[in-house]
Amino acid sequence: DIVMTQSPDSLAVSLGERATINCKSSQSVLYSSNNKNYLAWYQQKPGQPPKLLIYWASTRESGVPDRFSGSGSGTDFTLTISSLQAEDVAVYYCQQYYSTPPSITFGQGTRLEIK
Amino acid sequence: QVQLVESGGGVVQPGGSLRLSCAASGFTFSSYGMHWVRQAPGKGLEWVAFIRYDGSNKYYADSVKGRFTISRDNSKNTLYLQMNSLRAEDTAVYYCAKDVTAAGLNYFDYWGQGTLVTVSS
């Protein structure tokens, strides 16, 4: 299975500042035939199910504020929140959907708090 | 609007069985693959199982293979997870989640609120 490793495990950022979360896969999730990275990001607030933020590594889901952006390719990916808002306090997960045989794995999560 | 409502969770003894259901509405259920994802208390997300839109293909995490069975009834817009030989480590909130496509394993655009399964004697 592809192992997804996020860093850091937790992060404290001041309101209005940039937050950066990293995700590394144990093997490439870039499919060469379509040049797409099979990587998604989710936000989970306490007591709620996860919410899709980003797919194909950098495509923002409809309705997600543009302060959220995804970047990276191959094995190294980043979720950036350009200007942290109070409502962004949550745990963030990356997820790969590249595996063959079919399988899905998540990173361990990064807890984001206000400094 | 899309709604996914899980039910069937509860407390069960080790070695016991439980069947979870997920009632779907607000989209054409029979056109999308569906998943179960679980989250142990205070822990991260773990993908459990996937079923193709027509039920013809199913995939499982190694941790549940041979013990859990995913199924669906498109006439009832309902997804199921039959869980047998339950272990303490199966204790988790179980979410059903909608895939963005019909046949492949991709990302999830909608999630239910989850149902808690506790395996304890």
Side-chain angles (χ1 to χ4, degrees):
Chain A
D1 279 0
I2 298 177
V3 177
M4 307 300 289
T5 304
Q6 293 181 226
S7 61
D9 288 334
S10 64
L11 180 62
V13 174
S14 301
L15 289 172
E17 295 300 304
R18 177 185 301 261
T20 301
I21 298 170
N22 301 300
C23 175
K24 188 175 185 67
S25 57
S26 60
Q27 62 188 77
S28 177
V29 298
L30 173 63
Y31 193 40
S32 56
S33 66
N34 59 11
N35 201 35
K36 285 188 171 184
N37 287 284
Y38 285 53
L39 190 285
W41 288 96
Y42 299 87
Q43 174 194 65
Q44 186 178 32
K45 297 181 179 181
Q48 296 184 19
K51 173 189 173 184
L52 176 66
L53 295 177
I54 303 282
Y55 54 94
W56 302 126
S58 61
T59 302
R60 197 180 305 113
E61 172 72 337
S62 175
V64 172
D66 61 7
R67 64 180 180 272
F68 291 91
S69 63
S71 62
S73 185
T75 61
D76 292 280
F77 300 91
T78 300
L79 175 70
T80 301
I81 307 172
S82 60
S83 176
L84 189 70
Q85 306 299 303
E87 61 264 32
D88 301 334
V89 170
V91 178
Y92 292 84
Y93 295 93
C94 60
Q95 174 227 330
Q96 67 79 20
Y97 44 103
Y98 177 91
S99 287
T100 301
S103 177
I104 283 171
T105 48
F106 292 91
Q108 80 276 19
T110 295
R111 185 174 303 275
L112 177 59
E113 299 172 333
I114 304 293
K115 185 186 291 183
Chain B
Q1 72 281 20
V2 172
Q3 278 201 306
L4 299 169
V5 180
E6 303 93 337
S7 60
V11 180
V12 60
Q13 291 188 338
S17 299
L18 211 56
R19 188 176 85 152
L20 306 184
S21 299
C22 171
S25 61
F27 67 104
T28 306
F29 180 73
S30 58
S31 295
Y32 291 92
M34 295 294 295
H35 302 258
W36 288 99
V37 178
R38 68 184 180 183
Q39 186 169 36
K43 302 298 184 183
L45 302 169
E46 181 187 16
W47 172 76
V48 172
F50 165 82
I51 186 167
R52 221 172 95 125
Y53 71 103
D54 58 359
S56 61
N57 275 9
K58 305 173 186 181
Y59 301 105
Y60 299 91
D62 288 344
S63 58
V64 307
K65 205 171 292 183
R67 300 187 300 121
F68 289 12
T69 301
I70 189 171
S71 62
R72 65 191 297 160
D73 185 338
N74 286 345
S75 69
K76 295 182 178 179
N77 290 347
T78 302
L79 176 71
Y80 302 101
L81 186 68
Q82 177 66 44
M83 304 186 295
N84 298 332
S85 303
L86 282 161
R87 307 166 180 165
E89 55 265 35
D90 296 318
T91 294
V93 173
Y94 284 74
Y95 296 101
C96 69
K98 174 184 166 293
D99 198 282
V100 293
T101 68
L105 278 74
N106 292 279
Y107 52 93
F108 319 108
D109 55 354
Y110 291 96
W111 298 65
Q113 290 296 315
T115 187
L116 177 62
V117 172
T118 303
V119 184
S120 173
S121 54

